[in-house]
Amino acid sequence: MNSFTTELTVDRTPEEVFAAITDVRAWFSKTITGTATAVGDAFSFVDKGIPSTRIRVTELVPGRRVAWHVEDAYVAFVDQHDEWTDTRMTFDLTPGPNGSTLRFTHHGLTPDQACYRECSRGWTSCVNTSLRSLLTTGVGEPIPESAAPERQPAE
């Protein structure tokens, strides 16, 4: 099965897009703890009703690529709560005549999974709305803080 992928093109350099991606609190979730600016960094986010995760940065190639590995996840709204555990996310950047194209892929998030519909909508919003807004206006639309989580990721 194909993993979820989405793309966007913005009038920004690959280096500017790379910097925005690594500023995860600005576009992904306001509840993030930790950092995503160096290989080996880990960050977590926890929100009621959406995946709560611990993600480790596995690759950073400035202006070209960012890769993350999900070490622990709990997807509250499906029966198999660990669907994200051991999946990967990549952000591949390509320069072009109109700026940069970002191709985001959540490797392992496939249409046969219970969370695919909601999770792919979430990624589309995070990448194509929030990250795009951060890049074009300087202000992202990260997932807001919400009610108490149902489960925290393992430490």
Side-chain angles (χ1 to χ4, degrees):
M1 303 294 289
N2 292 332
S3 295
F4 173 76
T5 298
T6 188
E7 287 188 5
L8 66 89
T9 299
V10 291
D11 184 19
R12 297 291 181 264
T13 67
E15 292 75 20
E16 290 171 311
V17 177
F18 178 87
I21 294 165
T22 61
D23 187 3
V24 289
R25 276 185 213 84
W27 67 272
F28 189 9
S29 175
K30 288 186 176 185
T31 65
I32 285 179
T33 58
T35 59
T37 58
V39 171
D41 282 356
F43 64 95
S44 298
F45 76 97
V46 180
D47 286 283
K48 185 177 177 87
I50 64 171
S52 52
T53 64
R54 186 180 63 245
I55 298 172
R56 186 156 315 270
V57 177
T58 58
E59 185 178 2
L60 292 173
V61 182
R64 298 201 45 181
R65 186 167 224 247
V66 174
W68 299 340
H69 175 253
V70 180
E71 295 182 335
D72 183 49
Y74 184 84
V75 183
F77 58 88
V78 296
D79 291 337
Q80 189 169 337
H81 300 300
D82 65 349
E83 280 189 343
W84 278 30
T85 300
D86 233 9
T87 62
R88 297 179 307 113
M89 292 93 162
T90 55
F91 301 80
D92 291 301
L93 305 168
T94 306
N98 298 319
S100 301
T101 298
L102 164 64
R103 180 178 178 88
F104 168 82
T105 304
H106 186 155
H107 305 272
L109 178 60
T110 58
D112 62 327
Q113 292 179 310
C115 84
Y116 184 82
R117 184 174 173 187
E118 292 303 316
C119 292
S120 61
R121 284 182 185 167
W123 277 126
T124 298
S125 177
C126 284
V127 173
N128 295 87
T129 302
S130 183
L131 183 55
R132 178 185 299 274
S133 179
L134 179 61
L135 288 161
T136 58
T137 71
V139 179
E141 300 173 24
I143 300 165
E145 292 183 21
S146 63
E150 295 180 18
R151 175 190 175 270
Q152 300 259 347
E155 292 297 326

